[in-house]
Amino acid sequence: MERSSETLEEWSAGLSAIVSLHKLESINLAFTVVTDGGLRELSGLASLKSLNLDARQITDAGLAVLTSLTGLTHLDLFGARITDSGTNYLQNLKNLRSLEICGGGLTDAGVKNIKDLSSLSLLNLSQNYNLTDKALEMISGLTGLVSLNVSNSRVTSAGLRHLKPLKNLRSLSLESCKVTANDMRKLQSASLPNLVNFRPE
């Protein structure tokens, strides 16, 4: 236990040192022991554009302290434990072009807070089993999307109609959903001519 405590203290000290780098634009904290409390150290980095927080210790509370980072264009929360409540804090991040939330805690209610992030070109919501066709309906307004991943969810073939407005979409992944390769080909042929990479294929 003592060693674990020392490790956390070392990380906290390291994050404190980062804060002095005012022009820092990118930080990768994936697979680290960073916690929600440690993220407070980053809240003053106004130049930050890319932040990777693929860490299980990060929760909704961590997102709450990042709302001042309005210049963020890339936010990776792949393994973080974000729920619908946490997505409320994303509404301040209007410049996001890339967002990944794959910790399994989202439902369609959380997608309501993502649907207005109109700058998004990449959205990865895979591993959120409770997402349904309703999530695709909300995502349909994000016409700048180039890449969308909603694998391992409850999305069905019936929901594919909601993706027709996404004319810029080049990559679509709906693996382990109730969608067939034939459904994907029909969508590509009828509505999404720019779609060059899709799964299932």
Side-chain angles (χ1 to χ4, degrees), residues 9-29:
E9 287 173 14
E10 288 168 4
W11 269 102
S12 182
L15 287 175
S16 295
I18 286 174
V19 174
S20 65
L21 304 173
H22 300 295
K23 294 184 179 180
L24 194 64
E25 292 187 359
S26 180
I27 300 177
N28 187 341
L29 296 173

Side-chain angles (χ1 to χ4, degrees), residues 35-37 39-40 58-66 81-82 86 89:
T35 63
D36 293 336
L39 294 182
R40 288 190 189 93
I58 301 301
T59 69
D60 297 341
L63 279 187
V65 301
L66 298 179
R81 292 178 292 136
I82 306 302
Y89 303 113

Side-chain angles (χ1 to χ4, degrees), residues 6-196:
E6 288 172 0
T7 303
L8 289 172
E9 287 173 14
E10 288 168 4
W11 269 102
S12 182
L15 287 175
S16 295
I18 286 174
V19 174
S20 65
L21 304 173
H22 300 295
K23 294 184 179 180
L24 194 64
E25 292 187 359
S26 180
I27 300 177
N28 187 341
L29 296 173
F31 310 111
T32 65
V33 295
V34 67
T35 63
D36 293 336
L39 294 182
R40 288 190 189 93
E41 301 287 346
L42 305 180
S43 62
L45 293 175
S47 296
L48 203 60
K49 296 190 181 311
S50 178
L51 181 57
N52 187 331
L53 294 174
D54 184 357
R56 288 299 292 169
Q57 307 85 263
I58 301 301
T59 69
D60 297 341
L63 279 187
V65 301
L66 298 179
T67 55
S68 63
L69 301 179
T70 55
L72 276 181
T73 58
H74 172 82
L75 182 57
D76 186 341
L77 299 161
F78 190 93
R81 292 178 292 136
I82 306 302
T83 69
D84 295 338
S85 297
T87 62
N88 283 309
Y89 303 113
L90 297 174
Q91 295 179 71
N92 293 332
L93 307 180
K94 299 291 187 189
N95 292 310
L96 278 180
R97 293 198 300 260
S98 172
L99 175 63
E100 300 188 56
I101 304 178
C102 309
L106 290 191
T107 71
D108 296 338
V111 178
K112 285 181 184 175
N113 296 319
I114 295 171
K115 70 179 180 65
D116 294 324
L117 298 175
S118 59
S119 294
L120 283 176
S121 60
L122 181 150
L123 180 60
N124 185 353
L125 300 177
S126 62
Q127 319 305 320
N128 289 295
Y129 179 72
N130 290 312
L131 295 182
T132 71
D133 293 344
K134 184 71 176 172
L136 293 189
E137 183 179 358
M138 287 183 273
I139 290 168
S140 68
L142 296 175
T143 56
L145 281 180
V146 173
S147 176
L148 175 63
N149 188 341
V150 196
S151 296
N152 296 99
S153 67
R154 296 182 183 179
V155 166
T156 70
S157 296
L160 293 181
R161 71 185 188 279
H162 299 303
L163 300 181
K164 292 178 180 180
L166 304 183
K167 301 301 183 187
N168 293 309
L169 208 58
R170 296 179 56 80
S171 177
L172 175 61
S173 185
L174 293 169
E175 292 183 278
S176 299
C177 296
K178 293 182 180 178
V179 177
T180 68
N182 193 43
D183 296 330
M184 300 290 272
R185 281 191 289 273
K186 284 180 181 176
L187 176 67
Q188 177 195 36
S189 168
S191 304
L192 300 179
N194 292 316
L195 192 61
V196 292

